């Protein structure tokens, strides 16, 4: 009887071990099958979250860029209007000259406002459509400098253009060139000394490329600043304490 009981207990224990091993094997097999699915689902969810965050950041950067670009033409319009008000008897030629510049700056602001209104139709990260044209890019650059003269005049900083070629006919994107040059000149004007400041723009064709240089005698940038100059919102600590800036222009 004892042997029979021991044999029965052994069989029962053996069956439990077999069922336990079988159950464990099934669980492991399920984990092997389900784990990659769960990992993929988590990755997909993470990607969706990152995509949503990137979309929100793109929207935010777009509005910040547009509002930043609005500041320069507004500053120019205010400066020219103040000059006209201070001049008791401006000549008709001066009035027409200032009105023409104010009109151009108004069109710049209108274009920026249109970009905001057509936000859902933007085709690039910063919300700008690429509208290339063929023509004399030097004449376009000269027009940009003419619009920026008032900004420099407010600080009594001479702004000049040196052309190695009288004209350069090529394909170019007017809006991009305007934004780049306007920002560089604005920065040069901002960081030039109050007295004795000079800004010089040169255009030259080298190896079938147009090279545009904006030079000034301001405070310049050290090597560390050059590493971060195109990072959004980055500013040198020394500069950010002295000058009002957002760090998004360049």
């Amino acid at each position: 009887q004892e042997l029979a009981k021991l044999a029965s207990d052994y069989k029962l224990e053996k069956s439990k071990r077999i069922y336990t091993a079988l159950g464990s094997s099934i669980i492991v097999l399920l984990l092997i099958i389900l784990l990659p699915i769960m990992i993929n689902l988590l990755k997909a969810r993470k990607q969706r979250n990152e995509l949503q965050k990137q979309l929100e950041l793109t929207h935010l950067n777009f509005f910040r860029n547009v509002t930043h670009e609005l500041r320069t033409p507004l500053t120019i319009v205010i400066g020219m209007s103040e000059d006209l008000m201070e001049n008791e008897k401006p000549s008709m030629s001066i009035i027409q000259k200032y009105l023409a510049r104010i009109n151009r700056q108004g069109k710049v602001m209108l274009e920026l406002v249109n970009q905001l209104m057509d936000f859902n139709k933007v085709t690039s990260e910063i919300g700008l459509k690429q509208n290339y044209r063929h023509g004399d890019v030097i004449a376009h650059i000269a027009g940009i400098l003419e619009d920026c003269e008032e900004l420099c005049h407010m600080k009594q900083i001479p702004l000049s253009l040196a052309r190695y070629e009288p004209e350069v006919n090529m394909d170019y994107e007017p809006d991009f060139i305007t934004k780049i040059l306007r920002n560089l000149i604005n920065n040069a004007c901002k960081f030039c000394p109050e007295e004795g400041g000079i800004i010089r723009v040169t255009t030259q064709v080298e190896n079938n490329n147009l090279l545009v240089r904006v030079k000034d005698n301001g405070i310049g940038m050290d090597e560390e600043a050059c590493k971060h100059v195109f990072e959004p919102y980055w500013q040198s600590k020394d500069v950010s304490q002295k000058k009002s800036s957002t760090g998004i222009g360049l």
Side-chain angles (χ1 to χ4, degrees):
Q1 288 179 353
E2 289 292 330
L3 287 173
K5 184 178 179 182
L6 288 172
S8 176
D9 290 344
Y10 174 75
K11 288 181 179 180
L12 182 62
E13 184 67 25
K14 186 177 180 181
S15 297
K16 288 181 179 179
R17 290 182 180 179
I18 291 173
Y19 287 127
T20 301
L22 184 61
S24 299
S25 299
I26 293 173
I27 291 172
V28 171
L29 184 62
L30 288 173
L31 287 174
I32 292 174
I33 295 173
L34 294 176
L35 191 60
I37 297 174
M38 293 174 65
I39 291 174
N40 288 333
L41 287 173
L42 289 173
K43 284 183 177 179
R45 184 176 180 181
K46 184 179 180 181
Q47 288 176 350
R48 284 198 302 270
N49 291 338
E50 290 178 351
L51 185 62
Q52 182 65 29
K53 289 180 180 178
Q54 184 62 38
L55 184 61
E56 292 174 359
L57 182 61
T58 300
H59 289 182
L60 182 61
N61 286 342
F62 170 76
F63 284 107
R64 283 177 173 169
N65 274 305
V66 171
T67 52
H68 177 265
E69 293 297 334
L70 277 170
R71 195 164 57 176
T72 298
L74 279 172
T75 302
I76 294 173
V77 168
I78 292 170
M80 288 187 290
S81 61
E82 288 177 349
D83 281 352
L84 283 174
M85 287 187 292
E86 290 174 1
N87 193 335
E88 294 182 359
K89 295 181 179 180
S91 64
M92 185 55 65
S93 60
I94 292 178
I95 293 175
Q96 290 178 343
K97 179 181 177 182
Y98 275 46
L99 286 176
R101 291 184 180 180
I102 290 173
N103 181 263
R104 282 198 297 270
Q105 297 305 319
K107 290 179 180 178
V108 169
M109 289 186 282
L110 179 61
E111 176 61 27
L112 291 168
V113 172
N114 287 337
Q115 289 179 17
L116 282 171
M117 295 177 66
D118 296 334
F119 183 69
N120 292 329
K121 299 178 182 179
V122 296
T123 57
S124 66
E125 184 179 354
I126 57 174
L128 299 174
K129 296 180 181 179
Q130 297 182 18
N131 297 315
Y132 283 88
R133 69 172 61 167
H134 185 85
D136 182 13
V137 68
I138 304 299
H140 181 73
I141 291 173
I144 297 170
L145 265 66
E146 185 177 341
D147 290 337
C148 292
E149 280 181 355
E150 181 60 30
L151 189 64
C152 297
H153 175 70
M154 292 166 64
K155 290 186 64 176
Q156 298 183 341
I157 298 174
L159 173 64
S160 62
L161 172 63
R163 326 177 193 197
Y164 282 81
E165 295 83 14
E167 67 177 56
V168 176
N169 289 293
M170 58 180 283
D171 295 327
Y172 66 96
E173 217 293 356
D175 193 40
F176 289 175
I177 292 179
T178 300
K179 282 181 168 58
I180 293 168
L181 273 181
R182 199 177 267 153
N183 184 267
L184 291 174
I185 294 171
N186 185 45
N187 281 353
C189 183
K190 184 185 297 183
F191 297 107
C192 268
E194 293 290 342
E195 295 183 4
I198 298 174
I199 302 174
R200 180 180 173 88
V201 180
T202 61
T203 59
Q204 184 177 8
V205 176
E206 291 186 3
N207 299 322
N208 205 33
N209 290 304
L210 177 66
L211 179 62
V212 182
R213 292 185 176 95
V214 180
K215 292 186 176 183
D216 64 80
N217 59 344
I219 60 176
M221 294 185 295
D222 56 26
E223 292 184 4
E224 183 62 26
C226 290
K227 295 177 183 178
H228 304 281
V229 70
F230 293 115
E231 295 178 12
Y233 315 114
W234 185 90
Q235 299 177 67
S236 171
K237 292 181 179 179
D238 295 335
V239 170
S240 61
Q241 292 173 357
K242 298 176 181 178
K243 300 287 184 178
S244 173
S245 182
T246 58
I248 67 172
L250 289 177

